[in-house]
Amino acid sequence: MSETNKRRDRTHWLYLAVIVAVVAGVLVGWLAPGFGKSVGDLGTLFVNLIKMMISPVIFCTIVLGIGSVRAAAKVGKVGGLAIGYFLIMSTVALGIGLVVGNLLHPGTGLNVAAHAKEISKYASDAKAAGGSWQFLQDIVPTSMLSALTSGKVLQTLFVALLVGFGIQAMGRTGEPLLRGIGLVQKLVFRVLTMILWLAPIGAFGAMANVVARTGLDAVKQLALLMVAFYLTCIVFIFGVLGALLRAVTGFSIFKLSRYLAREYLLIVATSSSESALPRLIAKMEHAGVERTTVGVVVPTGYSFNLDGTAIYLTMATLFVADAMGKPLAWTEQIGLLLFMIVASKGAAGVTGAGLATLAGGLQSHRPDLLDGVGLIVGIDRFMSEARALTNFAGNSVATLLIGTWTKTIDAERVHAVLDRKIPFDETSMVDEHATEPETDTAEPVQEAAAKNLVPA
């Protein structure tokens, strides 16, 4: 417990450091524009560090994600419905992000493209990439290992899918490989965590540079993006998810949110939806959903049902494109959406994994926009709570929906619990609860999905 508290304290220090760095960057860019322009390279260096992690993050999480799908499929109807639902809702969330981004155009007017670094290099790379056929040819790497070192995200994604399905076909023989990749993923995320401690420096440089060159308009536009993102997440939770929950089950999203209030507070305190995973499993079982269903839906959803992350990816991408003065055409937006449907499954919610996936989407579709990711660094941390809360709400609703569709839920008990007639016993809550499934079939799902879980 003390170790957990220490980890939370460190997270809070990073959070505070980013806030201070953003404020300092705004002041420096405003009051000393010459110096502000000179520190712009700090933001570029941080973006380069994030770019360095794109391929390993996507490879490990996609391979392990496919492993969890394989395990989930063993329980038949529950696993199949869960995966189908997750894909549909993630697509809906991505679509909502695109619609809101196109309506608000939060980055319009910044025009920072002329001040970004390496634009000519990326533009020439994009021009040399050729047409659609060349685009398809470039998906296939010269070797499996080169996909991890070339910096081409679609090649990494392609190889990750092949490796994931290959391990899936091996059955139990492939489990040691999954465990090995799980260890590699832990190493990757440990390195990513180390890099994130440099986020305040990157945020300071990027913010000072953009304010020095564009004035305080940049601050207003970033604030607009944050407010729009939070409002979109609220509408998605209480509008889309709430309406679906009411229509299918008759349960109230407001009562469900009240029932899970402590978990929401825990997520806000830690910026991590992972911190509430054991409690969500315990509370869903207490509410009347069968343990096997909960054991499949919740852990798999933590890797494959990231609605908040999906909204963030599309809105942030449109913001970067507008801010760079190079808005995305509808055809490019649809292509990006299709990419994000798959790639967002690898953004298992770490502050940084989302940034890496965002950078990966831009690198694969519009490399000339990649340096604009530095604009997001300063506010990414502020948006992580909304992402985590939306992801958590999506998985709690998914558990009740899948339970209803598979008839593995006691609806009367759910109503009684949500009406506070059967209170949850906090003294019975055990942190290890999530790793003690009732059946053998649920255990691989939780273990495989748990390997993908990192703070949001």
Side-chain angles (χ1 to χ4, degrees):
M1 190 69 180
S2 60
E3 182 181 346
T4 302
N5 288 334
K6 289 179 183 177
R7 188 181 303 119
R8 291 174 187 169
D9 289 340
R10 289 198 297 270
T11 300
H12 286 166
W13 280 117
L14 177 59
Y15 199 177
L16 291 173
V18 170
I19 294 175
V20 172
V22 169
V23 174
V26 171
L27 292 175
V28 168
W30 180 36
L31 301 176
F35 180 73
K37 295 175 184 178
S38 68
V39 297
D41 286 337
L42 294 177
T44 303
L45 287 173
F46 182 76
V47 172
N48 288 340
L49 287 172
I50 293 295
K51 283 161 52 182
M52 179 180 73
M53 304 304 298
I54 293 174
S55 290
V57 164
I58 290 181
F59 177 81
C60 291
T61 47
I62 291 295
V63 172
L64 290 173
I66 291 176
S68 69
V69 173
R70 172 177 56 85
K74 290 182 179 178
V75 298
K77 189 175 182 179
V78 173
L81 272 175
I83 297 303
Y85 171 81
F86 294 157
L87 288 174
I88 292 172
M89 289 310 296
S90 293
T91 305
V92 170
L94 287 165
I96 289 175
L98 282 181
V99 170
V100 173
N102 278 286
L103 288 176
L104 296 182
H105 299 289
T108 301
L110 283 184
N111 229 1
V112 297
H115 315 302
K117 302 294 184 181
E118 299 180 354
I119 290 300
S120 59
K121 172 182 178 298
Y122 289 119
S124 62
D125 288 348
K127 185 176 181 181
S132 300
W133 177 242
Q134 184 66 40
F135 174 79
L136 293 175
Q137 284 184 309
D138 285 343
I139 294 177
V140 182
T142 55
S143 71
M144 293 184 70
L145 293 180
S146 70
L148 302 177
T149 59
S150 65
K152 295 183 178 180
V153 178
L154 288 180
Q155 291 186 0
T156 303
L157 196 61
F158 177 71
V159 171
L161 291 171
L162 290 180
V163 172
F165 286 118
I167 292 177
Q168 178 189 106
M170 293 171 66
R172 288 190 173 274
T173 308
E175 290 180 3
L177 290 173
L178 276 180
R179 288 195 293 270
I181 294 175
L183 291 175
V184 173
Q185 187 200 46
K186 288 182 179 180
L187 172 63
V188 168
F189 282 133
R190 180 59 60 91
V191 173
L192 187 58
T193 301
M194 294 163 60
I195 291 174
L196 288 175
W197 280 99
L198 299 176
I201 299 175
F204 170 78
M207 191 62 65
N209 183 52
V210 73
V211 171
R213 297 182 183 278
T214 65
L216 294 178
D217 287 342
V219 180
K220 298 175 184 177
Q221 298 292 65
L222 289 169
L224 175 61
L225 174 63
M226 285 180 55
V227 171
F229 177 65
Y230 272 79
L231 290 177
T232 303
C233 289
I234 291 172
V235 170
F236 181 79
I237 293 173
F238 294 102
V240 178
L241 292 179
L244 185 60
L245 183 67
R246 172 68 74 177
V248 174
T249 68
F251 306 140
S252 168
I253 187 67
F254 297 101
K255 291 182 178 179
L256 178 62
S257 298
R258 182 181 63 188
Y259 175 58
L260 298 173
R262 289 196 180 191
E263 287 66 45
Y264 283 125
L265 290 175
L266 181 61
I267 291 170
V268 170
T270 61
S271 297
S272 167
S273 56
E274 181 197 23
S275 60
L277 171 62
R279 294 182 60 88
L280 179 60
I281 290 178
K283 281 201 164 183
M284 287 294 100
E285 291 179 9
H286 170 76
V289 184
E290 288 187 10
R291 193 173 192 187
T292 301
T293 300
V294 175
V296 171
V297 176
V298 174
T300 307
Y302 259 65
S303 292
F304 276 81
N305 190 36
L306 305 172
D307 299 328
T309 302
I311 295 172
Y312 162 81
L313 289 173
T314 46
M315 290 187 67
T317 299
L318 293 179
F319 172 84
V320 169
D322 289 339
M324 300 285 283
K326 300 181 179 182
L328 297 172
W330 272 105
T331 52
E332 292 175 313
Q333 292 184 29
I334 297 301
L336 188 67
L337 184 144
L338 295 175
F339 173 85
M340 292 298 188
I341 288 174
V342 179
S344 62
K345 310 311 175 195
V350 175
T351 305
L355 269 178
T357 306
L358 172 63
L362 291 175
Q363 187 170 358
S364 65
H365 287 74
R366 287 287 297 275
D368 56 315
L369 299 178
L370 190 56
D371 281 309
V373 174
L375 297 173
I376 302 294
V377 173
I379 62 169
D380 177 79
R381 185 68 186 170
F382 302 105
M383 300 167 80
S384 63
E385 280 89 355
R387 288 203 303 265
L389 290 170
T390 306
N391 293 340
F392 181 83
N395 286 316
S396 63
V397 169
T399 306
L400 296 177
L401 291 174
I402 302 299
T404 300
W405 287 328
T406 58
K407 295 184 170 63
T408 55
I409 190 174
D410 185 343
E412 292 184 3
R413 180 177 174 87
V414 175
H415 280 294
V417 169
L418 297 185
D419 289 335
R420 296 180 171 179
K421 295 178 181 178
I422 308 178
F424 180 74
D425 183 7
E426 293 289 342
T427 61
S428 67
M429 182 62 216
V430 180
D431 289 340
E432 288 77 13
H433 189 94
T435 59
E436 298 176 359
E438 184 178 7
T439 65
D440 293 335
T441 54
E443 186 172 347
V445 184
Q446 297 187 10
E447 290 179 353
K451 293 174 184 176
N452 285 335
L453 300 180
V454 282

